[in-house]
């Protein structure tokens, strides 16, 4: 549950900081003001990692991930794939800007020290709602889920034939 007072606390801290600066350092102009930092509200999310079991005990090969990503991107471009919250409600509070497979080399993200394995499917997500972005940053909302259809081998848990075409 988000803390409703967090925005009020931030605003109060910014105003208090502005008063401190003005009291001890004076203002540099007659219209001095403090602006909040404008974030891009963009996250980069791991969609699926190859050969690693997901929360359901299922997994995909690199080849399956590559094909799934291609199909997803085609359907994203066509408007078949749209952003939704928890597979329940369509939303414009965020958009999926692009997705790709990190090919050939493992990479280390400088900002987080996270290692992304070669073959991992990545999504760039742009938030259009500050409330949703704050929930994302605070960890209330996690990553993304593919929400596609595929075949699952009940013995091994391997997912194949993933599609986002919207048909049965």
């Amino acid at each position: 549950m988000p803390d409703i007072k967090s925005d009020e606390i931030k605003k109060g801290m910014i105003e208090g900081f502005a008063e401190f600066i003005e009291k001890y350092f004076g203002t540099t102009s007659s219209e001095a003001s403090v602006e909040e930092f404008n974030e891009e509200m963009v996250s980069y999310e791991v969609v699926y990692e190859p050969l690693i079991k997901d929360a359901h005990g299922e997994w995909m090969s690199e080849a399956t991930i590559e094909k799934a990503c291609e199909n997803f991107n085609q359907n994203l471009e066509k408007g078949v794939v749209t952003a939704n919250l928890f597979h329940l409600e369509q939303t414009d509070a965020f958009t999926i800007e692009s997705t790709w497979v990190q090919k050939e080399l493992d990479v280390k993200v400088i900002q987080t020290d996270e290692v992304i394995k070669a073959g991992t499917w990545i999504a760039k997500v742009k938030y259009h709602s500050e409330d949703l972005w704050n929930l994302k940053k605070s960890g209330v909302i996690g990553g993304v889920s593919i929400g596609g259809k595929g075949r699952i081998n009940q013995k091994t848990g391997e997912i194949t034939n993933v599609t986002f075409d919207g048909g049965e």
Side-chain angles (χ1 to χ4, degrees):
M1 183 94 186
D3 182 2
I4 298 172
K5 294 184 180 182
S6 66
D7 287 339
E8 294 171 9
I9 292 169
K10 287 180 194 173
K11 186 176 180 181
M13 289 174 62
I14 291 170
E15 289 172 356
F17 184 67
E19 289 173 11
F20 172 81
I21 295 294
E22 187 171 341
K23 180 177 180 181
Y24 291 98
F25 300 102
T27 60
T28 56
S29 74
S30 60
E31 296 181 17
S33 64
V34 175
E35 293 182 25
E36 288 190 52
F37 176 69
N38 290 324
E39 295 178 288
E40 288 185 48
M41 297 194 316
V42 171
S43 68
Y44 293 88
E45 305 290 339
V46 170
V47 177
Y48 217 92
E49 195 173 17
L51 309 176
I52 300 293
K53 288 186 178 181
D54 63 20
H56 307 288
E58 300 160 351
W59 59 277
M60 285 191 259
S61 68
E62 286 185 39
T64 297
I65 290 172
E66 182 75 32
K67 289 177 185 173
C69 180
E70 288 173 14
N71 183 267
F72 179 91
N73 287 338
Q74 290 167 355
N75 283 291
L76 180 65
E77 190 174 312
K78 291 177 192 173
V80 174
V81 174
T82 58
N84 67 71
L85 292 171
F86 310 109
H87 301 286
L88 298 173
E89 182 178 328
Q90 302 295 12
T91 184
D92 60 359
F94 69 93
T95 51
I96 302 158
E97 299 293 300
S98 61
T99 78
W100 65 93
V101 174
Q102 171 57 40
K103 297 181 182 181
E104 298 177 17
L105 299 172
D106 293 353
V107 296
K108 185 175 183 180
V109 179
I110 294 170
Q111 292 84 347
T112 63
D113 283 337
E114 180 181 13
V115 175
I116 299 175
K117 285 177 46 174
T120 298
W121 185 0
I122 307 293
K124 178 181 178 183
V125 179
K126 171 74 173 154
Y127 290 81
H128 307 289
S129 160
E130 285 189 44
D131 292 335
L132 192 61
W133 174 244
N134 287 327
L135 291 172
K136 170 65 182 161
K137 288 191 320 181
S138 66
V140 172
I141 294 176
V144 296
S145 175
I146 63 172
K149 295 178 183 178
R151 294 182 191 224
I152 302 170
N153 180 317
Q154 296 301 318
K155 290 182 181 179
T156 66
E158 181 179 11
I159 303 171
T160 57
N161 301 332
V162 178
T163 182
F164 300 89
D165 295 332
E168 294 295 320

